[in-house]
Amino acid sequence: MGARALAISDSYGGYRQRLVEQLQAKGIRDLAVLRAVSAVPRHLFVPDSVRHRAYEDSALPIASGQTISQPWVQARSLQELALTGREKVLEVGAGSGYQTALLSQLAFSVVAVERVPGLADAARTVIRDLGIRNVVIMVGDGTLGWRSLAPFDAIVVAAASPSVPEPLIEQLAEGGRMVIPVGDREEQTLIRVDKTAAGITQTPLSDVRFVPLLGELGWRDGG
Ligand code: SAH
């Protein structure tokens, strides 16, 4: 599947283009990823109070004390997944739904899991209004994956985990890839997990800072 038309007409196209150029300057080479960034209106996924900063390459606050990740980190994660447009992808931590929308442009279908119901509702509304139809957003604990819809050709985790949750490895298809930040609550390393017939390999990519993955196989307290 190629790029899908989004139901937008706005005056932010020039800003999006500048963000794309910044991402290119910082090493993002995957053309499909860059095309997705230029197609998805990030300003619709952030609160009004920070809308003027929507096309800066920075993380921004969203509701419920969460953050929409830095575009470079998201683009880097998506580039590592090397999606062709045929994959079924699991996203853990849908948050604002922005990365979910990027994934909708890069994969065949997207299952996104978010633990905060209010965030999931808001993300669903923006995604529906954009005319995106190959995405479902579930409310639940994504550290357990989403067993009834597994296996997934690719998995991307958008919150920091103390380790790679075993159900996510199980639910990754053979030949599949996962990108996940692993570390302590303050600092993590983004790693790529490859699952092959021969087993699992882990490749460190970059130092990152994400909000904590809270759940049965993530961080246990509510803090
Ligand atoms: N990709 C998002 C980033 C959101 S920040 C975006 O583009 O906006 C990480 C998100 O992970 C938060 O919304 C948080 O509520 C969610 N999260 C944390 N632990 C989770 C879990 N166990 N299952 C699902 N979502 C979780």
Side-chain angles (χ1 to χ4, degrees):
M1 309 269 285
R4 295 162 184 83
L6 296 179
I8 54 164
S9 100
D10 67 11
S11 52
Y12 287 84
Y15 294 100
R16 271 198 296 284
Q17 210 38 50
R18 239 178 291 158
L19 175 58
V20 167
E21 285 159 17
Q22 284 184 60
L23 295 176
Q24 278 177 306
K26 293 177 186 174
I28 303 301
R29 295 278 173 267
D30 186 313
L31 290 178
V33 171
L34 295 169
R35 224 179 293 132
V37 173
S38 72
V40 176
R42 190 171 188 253
H43 66 280
L44 299 181
F45 292 88
V46 302
D48 285 344
S49 56
V50 293
R51 188 146 294 168
H52 61 290
R53 300 186 54 202
Y55 295 102
E56 289 176 15
D57 186 21
S58 45
L60 294 170
I62 56 174
S64 303
Q66 301 301 320
T67 56
I68 179 172
S69 309
Q70 182 190 358
W72 178 82
V73 174
Q74 296 188 328
R76 182 74 212 279
S77 302
L78 296 175
Q79 174 165 282
E80 288 297 326
L81 295 181
L83 298 170
T84 65
R86 292 188 292 270
E87 297 83 0
K88 178 168 65 169
V89 181
L90 175 69
E91 180 190 31
V92 176
S96 68
Y98 175 67
Q99 180 162 261
T100 321
L102 294 176
L103 281 166
S104 78
Q105 304 295 292
L106 296 167
F108 183 76
S109 63
V110 185
V111 177
V113 185
E114 171 54 52
R115 67 180 279 277
V116 180
L119 288 175
D121 280 344
R124 276 191 203 111
T125 301
V126 181
I127 283 187
R128 187 199 57 216
D129 290 352
L130 286 170
I132 293 171
R133 292 173 200 282
N134 59 340
V135 163
V136 288
I137 300 181
M138 309 294 203
V139 173
D141 178 2
T143 67
L144 306 175
W146 206 273
R147 196 169 300 279
S148 62
L149 296 174
F152 301 100
D153 304 300
I155 299 178
V156 57
V157 180
S161 188
S163 62
V164 184
E166 196 56 39
L168 299 186
I169 293 178
E170 282 165 17
Q171 293 173 34
L172 189 60
E174 201 174 290
R177 295 171 166 207
M178 163 164 40
V179 175
I180 177 170
V182 175
D184 59 34
R185 288 182 78 129
E186 272 69 52
E187 296 180 347
Q188 308 91 32
T189 304
L190 194 64
I191 64 172
R192 194 184 79 219
V193 179
D194 289 89
K195 183 172 179 177
T196 66
I200 300 294
T201 59
Q202 299 196 6
T203 311
L205 303 173
S206 168
D207 294 335
V208 288
R209 298 184 70 142
F210 277 83
V211 297
L213 184 71
L214 302 174
E216 200 172 316
L217 299 172
W219 301 97
R220 295 304 292 266
D221 59 338

